[in-house]
Amino acid sequence: MASIFSRIIAGEIPSYKVAEDDSYYAFLDINPLTEGHTLVVPKQEVDYIFDLDDRTLAGLMLFAKQVAARIEREIACKRVAIVVLGLEVAHAHIHLIPIQSENDVDFHREKLHFSPEEFQKIADKLSK
């Protein structure tokens, strides 16, 4: 059975797309820690990030770097944090989180809530 991320990439489940190329897909996290919290995934479904072949892993990081630059340009933040947890969805992925402090990367705190229109506005801003 395909992971939820594979289903998002295939268009079976809607997402707020930020960027896409032939190998990678970036979209807003629907349970964000901060405005602009983005997930970056390889289109190839592999459970564990370090099971990706070297070329795909390197490409994922280079693609994430491009997305992070967009986030830095469009969202007021000191940095864009990169977090790899990989337990909640069996599909390698990274979180790009605009932060003001390290406290912004606390996954136990309450998540932000945006309307579909607000999510779309953020995605549109980041997809430029």
Side-chain angles (χ1 to χ4, degrees):
M1 183 172 191
S3 76
I4 190 169
F5 293 164
S6 289
R7 294 180 65 209
I8 287 170
I9 294 163
E12 297 171 17
I13 297 173
S15 68
Y16 298 99
K17 180 169 66 170
V18 171
E20 179 179 19
D21 69 10
D22 291 340
S23 301
Y24 308 99
Y25 193 85
F27 56 100
L28 294 179
D29 191 313
I30 60 167
N31 294 302
L33 294 174
T34 64
E35 179 184 341
H37 181 167
T38 300
L39 297 173
V40 181
V41 302
K43 289 184 175 178
Q44 174 190 9
E45 186 175 321
V46 172
D47 179 13
Y48 182 46
I49 196 164
F50 292 123
D51 285 340
L52 293 170
D53 63 80
D54 291 348
R55 173 174 272 192
T56 303
L57 179 59
L60 178 66
M61 290 301 160
L62 292 172
F63 184 79
K65 182 179 179 180
Q66 295 171 359
V67 175
R70 292 178 185 188
I71 293 170
E72 287 178 329
R73 185 177 63 238
E74 299 295 333
I75 304 291
C77 62
K78 289 186 178 177
R79 295 262 170 102
V80 175
I82 183 170
V83 177
V84 178
L85 297 172
L87 294 175
E88 63 277 6
V89 177
H91 190 134
H93 61 284
I94 60 174
H95 297 258
L96 296 178
I97 306 167
I99 62 169
Q100 298 300 332
S101 75
E102 291 178 3
N103 293 332
D104 291 335
V105 188
D106 179 358
F107 280 83
H108 294 100
R109 65 177 219 193
E110 186 174 344
K111 308 303 186 280
L112 298 179
H113 300 282
F114 296 112
S115 69
E117 296 79 18
E118 290 169 319
F119 270 119
Q120 191 59 59
K121 184 177 177 184
I122 296 165
D124 290 346
K125 184 167 44 170
L126 296 180
S127 63
K128 294 179 191 176

